Amino acid sequence: MIILGVILLVIGLVAGIAFLWTIGVILVAIGVVLWILGAMGHAVAGRRHYW
């Protein structure tokens, strides 16, 4: 999600499309939050492991 956000940021910047820039910023922000939560060991999206 972070990579897709960065790609959209670059395309939006080069092409001058503000909509792509906005979507890119949102995707990067959500990706970073999910990455941090996953690194802290919290369950993301309700995933559980049954052994």
Side-chain angles (χ1 to χ4, degrees):
M1 190 175 290
I2 296 172
I3 295 172
L4 178 62
V6 171
I7 291 170
L8 288 177
L9 282 173
V10 171
I11 293 172
L13 181 65
V14 171
I17 301 173
F19 181 72
L20 288 181
W21 177 261
T22 305
I23 297 297
V25 169
I26 292 170
L27 284 179
V28 168
I30 292 173
V32 168
V33 168
L34 291 176
W35 182 33
I36 291 172
L37 286 175
M40 292 174 57
H42 292 296
V44 178
R47 296 182 182 171
R48 297 179 185 169
H49 297 283
Y50 295 105
W51 300 102

